[in-house]
Amino acid sequence: MNHMKGFNPLSRTSAHRRAMSRNMVTSLFRYERVTTTKAKALEVRKAAEKLITRAKEDTVHNRRIAAKFIADEKILNKLFTEIGPRMKDRNGGYTRVLKMGYRQGDAADVVILELVDYKLPESSDTADKKSTKKAKAEKAEA
């Protein structure tokens, strides 16, 4: 039975698991969205949510605790200056897991792990299409 095990070891050594978790959390905060397997996403989400909770209050103590997990100083600064204040009024549930399907090679569940307030960046192609549609509509009216 799997009672009270606490976490999914993901078939990795503790050092590999810790390094992978740190890298994925850093990538999540850098891009605010990562694509990974379901098992990894559920494990990374635990660490990410705890760090965001710490980042809601910008103190030296909280920064030092987060710096143990996030090595990149720019990402650490982004966590405390952008992500933490954005989540100030939210009482948990800072991330979302969206199912994408199955991976071709090994049929693993693939998901997108993202911050809940993530907005898709509008690409220049769609912006150009919208502006040309507006221009065409204005010409038709005139």
Side-chain angles (χ1 to χ4, degrees), residues 37-50:
T37 62
K38 184 178 177 185
K40 287 181 197 171
L42 296 179
E43 285 303 310
V44 167
R45 180 170 66 173
K46 293 176 188 177
E49 299 225 356
K50 289 177 184 176

Side-chain angles (χ1 to χ4, degrees), residues 75-88:
I75 302 304
L76 184 67
N77 194 32
K78 179 181 179 180
L79 174 65
F80 279 89
T81 57
E82 294 177 25
I83 297 172
R86 278 193 335 223
M87 304 290 183
K88 198 76 162 176

Side-chain angles (χ1 to χ4, degrees), residues 94-114:
Y94 311 114
T95 58
R96 135 184 344 126
V97 176
L98 302 170
K99 296 179 184 178
M100 287 181 56
Y102 300 101
R103 193 161 52 196
Q104 182 72 34
D106 60 355
D109 285 333
V110 178
V111 299
I112 294 174
L113 176 66
E114 67 181 13

Side-chain angles (χ1 to χ4, degrees), residues 6 10 22 38 58 62 64 84 86 140:
L10 299 171
R22 290 176 64 171
K38 184 178 177 185
D58 191 0
N62 285 344
R64 286 181 178 165
R86 278 193 335 223

